[in-house]
Amino acid sequence: MKLLFIGDIVGSVGRAAVKQVLPALIDKYHPHIVIANGENAAHGRGITASIAKDLFTWGVHGITMGNHTWDNKDIFEWIDDEPRIVRPANFPPGTPGQGSAIIRANGKKLAIVNLQGRTFLPPIDCPFREADEQLERVRKETKCVLVDFHAEATSEKIAMGWHLDGRASLVVGTHTHVQTNDETILPGGTAYITDAGMVGSREGVLGMERTAVLSKFKTQLPARFVVDEGKWQFHGVYAELDETNGRATTIEKIRLTEDEWLIMS
């Protein structure tokens, strides 16, 4: 199975980059399934039904979320009716939406699981215990499992990679918006990267307009952050999985910029 994961999509700049670049990535890698993190897709905070529809139209098959899941309040009206979107599974019981899903596309079947870290983020249920429960359940349907661990601390992400080695096919970190250079296949066959990076403006700070961010750091006064409208960068991960055992055989970073992104097939 060929799999493409797109890092955190930030605002209109990130969405425009996905619309522009994804067809070329599909032509190059021929992925069976495309998954994207969409928790910052609407003005940098949350997602809307119309944006989710656009992403699906452009070729995304499943969307993962994170700590900004509920920032657009209308999500409560439709998330239970959209089986292709997952929010962190370790949100408290009774939370709308689902923490895992089975994505079917191009004759393939992939389980996606979303988890949120607890270090430097709001209190939430244990992601490690929840990971155990989710993996035990979804692996009954398919051995190919992608886990999006939306977390701040690199140590917590690395620990999750080792925790799921041999059980998840790919553990990809999101949330920090900075692509790491540690992609690897762990001994048990799990492909891992601490952070896939983001799709959004490279002229701001983590996709947000830099003037307000600088003011906040320098003065410690309240500042209103808005999505930066500068030139984009596109970060993601490509992986290949052995469907007979769920193990990864390939992991490759994708790193493109608006000024130079021509993709040779």
Side-chain angles (χ1 to χ4, degrees):
M1 179 189 299
K2 297 179 179 180
L3 174 63
L4 181 64
F5 182 85
I6 301 171
D8 302 51
I9 301 168
V10 183
S12 59
V13 173
R15 300 197 309 269
V18 172
K19 184 178 182 180
Q20 184 177 8
V21 172
L22 186 53
L25 288 174
I26 291 173
D27 285 344
K28 177 177 181 176
Y29 292 105
H30 304 288
H32 297 104
I33 296 179
V34 179
I35 307 297
N37 184 285
E39 72 128 20
N40 300 126
H43 309 292
R45 293 182 179 274
I47 195 170
T48 65
S50 62
I51 289 174
K53 181 179 179 181
D54 284 342
L55 293 175
F56 293 137
T57 299
W58 298 336
V60 172
H61 299 108
I63 298 174
T64 56
M65 298 293 286
N67 60 299
H68 289 298
T69 298
W70 314 117
D71 285 7
N72 281 279
K73 303 307 179 187
D74 70 339
I75 195 171
F76 293 101
E77 301 174 5
W78 57 270
I79 190 170
D80 284 329
D81 299 319
E82 180 45 77
R84 296 169 291 180
I85 292 183
V86 293
R87 46 75 176 161
N90 54 322
F91 280 169
T95 301
Q98 57 184 352
S100 61
I102 303 297
I103 303 298
R104 295 174 173 84
N106 297 307
K108 305 296 183 180
K109 185 163 61 173
L110 174 76
I112 58 173
V113 178
N114 198 189
L115 298 165
Q116 183 174 308
R118 295 191 293 184
T119 305
F120 308 127
L121 284 171
I124 197 170
D125 294 347
C126 177
F128 294 89
R129 283 200 300 268
E130 186 64 35
D132 292 341
E133 294 178 10
Q134 293 289 334
L135 267 290
E136 182 179 1
R137 183 174 58 82
V138 300
R139 281 178 59 86
K140 294 176 182 177
E141 294 198 50
T142 176
K143 294 179 181 178
C144 295
V145 183
L146 180 152
V147 175
D148 175 351
F149 190 29
H150 199 79
E152 182 77 33
T154 56
S155 57
E156 191 176 19
K157 293 180 181 180
I158 293 169
M160 182 63 77
W162 285 111
H163 182 65
L164 295 180
D165 185 26
R167 293 187 288 163
S169 306
L170 172 63
V171 176
V172 57
T174 57
H175 178 66
T176 63
H177 292 199
V178 178
Q179 189 180 70
T180 54
N181 195 38
D182 62 342
E183 75 279 9
T184 188
I185 297 179
L186 298 172
T190 295
Y192 172 84
I193 187 169
T194 298
D195 203 285
M198 75 167 194
V199 183
S201 173
R202 61 186 172 90
E203 299 180 358
V205 178
L206 305 184
M208 309 307 284
E209 199 280 321
R210 63 180 180 267
T211 301
V213 178
L214 284 167
S215 176
K216 173 71 174 180
F217 277 120
K218 292 190 291 184
T219 68
Q220 293 300 298
L221 295 174
R224 180 174 178 268
F225 294 168
V226 297
V227 174
D228 190 75
E229 298 297 328
K231 293 183 178 179
W232 55 255
Q233 58 185 353
F234 186 110
H235 295 160
V237 173
Y238 169 74
E240 295 180 3
L241 315 179
D242 184 339
E243 293 176 83
T244 64
N245 54 28
R247 293 188 172 195
T249 57
T250 298
I251 181 171
E252 175 185 333
K253 292 193 306 293
I254 297 171
R255 187 176 182 89
L256 308 169
T257 61
E258 184 172 353
D259 293 329
E260 186 177 356
W261 69 275
L262 182 65
I263 301 172
M264 303 302 292
S265 60

